[in-house]
Amino acid sequence: NTEMGRSIIKRILRGNVNVADRIFLITMAEYGINDILRAACMEIGFHNSNILVYNGDSEIDITQMFQYVYVGEGNTFELLHMMKNQGIIEFVRQNYNQGACYIGSSAGAMIAGSDIQLALDFDRNFVQTEDFSGLDLFSGTVIPHYTKMQFNNYYNQLSDSAKAKYKNIYSISDEGAIIFENDGSIRSVRIKRE
């Protein structure tokens, strides 16, 4: 949700932002949260001119590199489809490979992995995509919105072939996000609801 996304961005980046740092925020147009995400980034030290919010509603010219990339919530298939159709997927991968920190929340966490195949268990494939390949920032996938107990139940119901397909399967609850650092390290952040 919007408030949780804002809390996650603040928690992850507070105290780590330099004046010249740039952040690329990717979301879906129908959520109408561009201003909310921009305000959250400004609260933690990003200059307004260094924040680019993209929601797929128009083509953009992205030539400068970013230190941070945030991909948020939404229908996993629609968000990945939009990113691929607009050429954003390659731009995000290029930024990550050149040192950007990738922050994925909900669908954005799942998109970071090898593929989004398991999203078929949670989201409807409205765009009827047949290309489930993700950013491939790590070998595996992320299951969002599950507590540890819910994830264990889900995992136990997966077929052996589905389990064998992934080197790693991570779970992120609604109060968290997964961060993929450019040095290959992966960490999760959990935000407590007030």
Side-chain angles (χ1 to χ4, degrees):
N1 79 30
T2 304
E3 187 60 38
M4 190 55 60
R6 181 174 18 193
S7 296
I8 288 168
I9 290 172
K10 286 181 184 179
R11 168 86 186 272
I12 293 168
L13 299 181
R14 182 164 299 189
N16 294 319
V17 176
N18 295 317
V19 175
D21 282 350
R22 296 171 41 84
I23 187 166
F24 186 37
L25 305 160
I26 302 168
T27 185
M28 298 295 291
E30 63 261 24
Y31 292 153
I33 61 172
N34 292 14
D35 292 340
I36 294 168
L37 291 173
R38 180 177 298 281
C41 290
M42 290 174 65
E43 284 178 35
I44 56 173
F46 285 99
H47 188 274
N48 188 41
S49 63
N50 291 335
I51 303 167
L52 178 59
V53 183
Y54 182 70
N55 61 15
D57 63 352
S58 63
E59 290 191 24
I60 57 171
D61 178 24
I62 42 177
T63 54
Q64 294 184 352
M65 290 293 143
F66 292 83
Q67 287 70 41
Y68 300 94
V69 175
Y70 173 86
V71 181
E73 62 274 349
N75 177 285
T76 309
F77 300 101
E78 290 177 340
L79 187 58
L80 182 61
H81 180 75
M82 179 266 295
M83 290 173 67
K84 286 181 177 181
N85 279 353
Q86 299 293 331
I88 302 299
I89 199 91
E90 288 305 320
F91 180 74
V92 169
R93 192 177 289 125
Q94 180 184 12
N95 273 260
Y96 179 78
N97 289 337
Q98 292 188 10
C101 174
Y102 179 92
I103 305 162
S105 176
S106 188
M110 189 168 239
I111 287 169
S114 307
D115 67 42
I116 61 167
Q117 182 80 38
L118 294 180
L120 289 167
D121 293 340
F122 313 101
D123 281 341
R124 294 192 57 196
N125 186 357
F126 295 114
V127 293
Q128 299 180 348
T129 187
E130 295 178 11
D131 178 7
F132 297 128
S133 61
L135 281 164
D136 203 25
L137 302 184
F138 71 99
S139 179
T141 191
V142 175
I143 306 300
H145 307 295
Y146 275 20
T147 64
K148 188 173 186 174
M149 184 169 47
Q150 291 168 322
F151 172 73
N152 287 337
N153 289 336
Y154 172 76
Y155 184 82
N156 290 333
Q157 294 176 26
L158 281 176
S159 68
D160 289 340
S161 61
K163 292 175 187 174
K165 181 178 179 181
Y166 302 101
K167 181 176 179 183
N168 298 292
I169 301 178
Y170 297 99
S171 175
I172 305 279
S173 72
D174 283 342
E175 293 83 25
I178 192 161
I179 300 107
F180 300 93
E181 301 285 358
N182 62 345
D183 65 2
S185 63
I186 300 170
R187 63 187 171 104
S188 64
V189 173
R190 184 169 183 264
I191 307 296
K192 292 184 180 179
R193 293 186 186 262
E194 296 180 13

